[in-house]
Amino acid sequence: MRSLINILDLSTGEIDELIAVAEDIIADPAKYSEACRGKKLATLFFEPSTRTRLSFEAAMYELGGNVLSVSSGASSSAAKGESVADTAKTVSCYADIIAMRHPKEGAPYVASVNASIPVINAGDGGHNHPTQTLADLLTIHREKGRFENLTVGLCGDLKFGRTVHSLIEAMSRYEGVRFVLISPEELKVPSYVKKDVLARNGIPYVQTEDMESVMPELDILYMTRVQRERFFNEEDYLRLKDSYILTPKKLQNARTDLSIMHPLPRVNEISVAIDDDPRACYFKQVLNGKYMRMALILKLLKEAGR
Ligand code: CP
């Protein structure tokens, strides 16, 4: 049974195909409005979400399908101690496909090996968030027209930021990509990502704490939130939370064709004064996420023969 747990589960050719389907949906949504008639998506979210859960649900409705939803662990039998494996086996009796978010890294994988229907990882702890990466990739493709030969700045919480880890894995497969990793010492990209992804693939990168000094080099600036929920103590969070706040002044030396991205939610790290800057792409990412999730649901249901 084909699931999506890590972005590398998809080849670059398959990502090109998903982008082509998403573009076709954008051009002619009516063509897809009955594509999932009679099919059910179960969204199992054991961690808070606005964009991912609602965009999955909007995606399924726009494909003509239906949705079953668990919107918090407290409202499901997980609160009584039911295992992820048993939850996956149970939901397989009701739905055709599952999108799961869970605070425990690896939980969607456990679900995928126990379910008899496809499972999509909608974010697992500080590990991976492959469908956010699909939204990011469509946005980069629409803004830049390519994935190759780009300098990508990643800024903020690069340690716990699952969207960052998935995006590094995805972009490391394209020629001429270079990363500028901007974070405080305590929130640097984990060594396993540097060793297993960047070093193994010979991808050039620099690490810095100074956003403004590297700004002129960047084609993409991907801002992230410092995630309170991943910290072990409040003191460290309070000390680090405002490490980077992007303001119009800090963009003075940026390229005119810079793309400013953020997976959202935003707290303080991008001033609202930037929202009207034509370089701001973060609300485009939100919409692109729905189209890529539509394309992904179609692909996985088709491969599962459902
Ligand atoms: N980007 C993202 O995952 O947002 P939510 O947490 O609101 O789903």
Side-chain angles (χ1 to χ4, degrees):
M1 184 61 55
R2 185 93 189 266
S3 287
L4 178 66
I5 302 303
N6 183 295
I7 193 65
L8 298 182
D9 295 341
L10 295 167
S11 69
T12 54
E14 287 178 310
I15 285 171
D16 291 344
E17 285 164 20
L18 289 171
I19 287 174
V21 172
E23 291 289 0
D24 199 45
I25 294 169
I26 293 167
D28 187 2
K31 193 166 123 189
Y32 294 87
S33 64
E34 296 292 321
C36 287
R37 181 66 61 204
K39 302 285 180 277
K40 282 172 279 187
L41 164 73
T43 51
L44 308 181
F45 277 60
F46 299 95
E47 213 184 40
S49 167
T50 296
R51 275 147 296 276
T52 311
R53 185 167 69 85
L54 296 186
S55 68
F56 264 115
E57 296 182 1
M60 194 56 165
Y61 285 126
E62 290 185 27
L63 291 168
N66 290 300
V67 173
L68 310 173
S69 190
V70 168
S71 58
S72 74
S75 68
S76 79
S77 286
K80 301 178 215 164
E82 185 164 58
S83 68
V84 167
D86 284 358
T87 301
K89 286 176 187 167
T90 300
V91 175
S92 298
C93 300
Y94 306 140
D96 297 283
I97 186 165
I98 293 171
M100 174 182 277
R101 170 168 292 186
H102 204 286
K104 286 200 178 136
E105 302 180 355
Y109 170 74
V110 171
S112 73
V113 296
N114 285 282
S116 55
I117 58 177
V119 175
I120 301 169
N121 178 3
D124 61 330
H127 193 213
N128 281 144
H129 193 349
T131 64
Q132 178 63 47
T133 305
L134 293 177
D136 299 341
L137 291 175
L138 178 58
T139 306
I140 292 169
H141 201 260
R142 295 198 114 204
E143 296 299 312
K144 301 293 182 205
R146 66 183 196 282
F147 295 126
E148 295 78 12
N149 302 313
L150 291 170
T151 295
V152 182
L154 300 160
C155 179
D157 177 359
L158 309 187
K159 179 180 180 184
F160 299 113
R162 58 194 175 198
T163 65
V164 165
H165 306 156
S166 290
L167 188 60
I168 289 174
E169 288 190 311
M171 291 297 290
S172 291
R173 295 193 288 187
Y174 298 100
E175 285 291 317
V177 169
R178 174 177 172 262
F179 292 102
V180 179
L181 308 174
I182 309 157
S183 73
E185 180 67 26
E186 295 96 322
L187 297 178
K188 280 173 149 178
V189 168
S191 47
Y192 81 87
V193 176
K194 282 186 269 194
K195 182 166 160 272
D196 296 346
V197 184
L198 297 172
R200 181 168 293 169
N201 294 298
I203 308 296
Y205 69 94
V206 292
Q207 297 185 104
T208 178
E209 295 190 25
D210 182 0
M211 176 168 65
E212 282 167 271
S213 70
V214 295
M215 191 68 82
E217 304 170 28
L218 306 180
D219 296 300
I220 293 166
L221 173 58
Y222 193 98
M223 297 295 294
T224 62
R225 171 177 67 99
V226 174
Q227 302 177 75
R228 179 180 229 141
E229 64 273 29
R230 309 272 178 238
F231 277 80
F232 292 113
N233 73 70
E234 183 75 359
E235 205 174 288
D236 285 348
Y237 168 73
L238 293 174
R239 184 168 49 80
L240 294 168
K241 73 184 175 71
D242 291 329
S243 298
Y244 302 97
I245 300 176
L246 188 64
T247 60
K249 188 162 173 279
K250 290 187 181 150
L251 285 173
Q252 272 171 355
N253 292 324
R255 292 188 186 168
T256 53
D257 65 349
L258 174 71
S259 297
I260 304 166
M261 300 177 65
H262 191 310
L264 304 181
R266 153 177 66 181
V267 184
N268 269 337
E269 56 281 356
I270 301 182
S271 156
V272 292
I274 290 176
D275 293 2
D276 294 329
D277 188 307
R279 294 170 289 188
C281 297
Y282 28 96
F283 289 106
K284 293 181 189 171
Q285 280 170 268
V286 172
L287 187 57
N288 290 336
K290 182 185 70 171
Y291 295 124
M292 286 302 265
R293 289 178 178 115
M294 289 172 82
L296 179 66
I297 289 168
L298 287 171
K299 176 181 173 64
L300 293 181
L301 285 177
K302 186 172 174 200
E303 289 187 18
R306 298 184 83 100

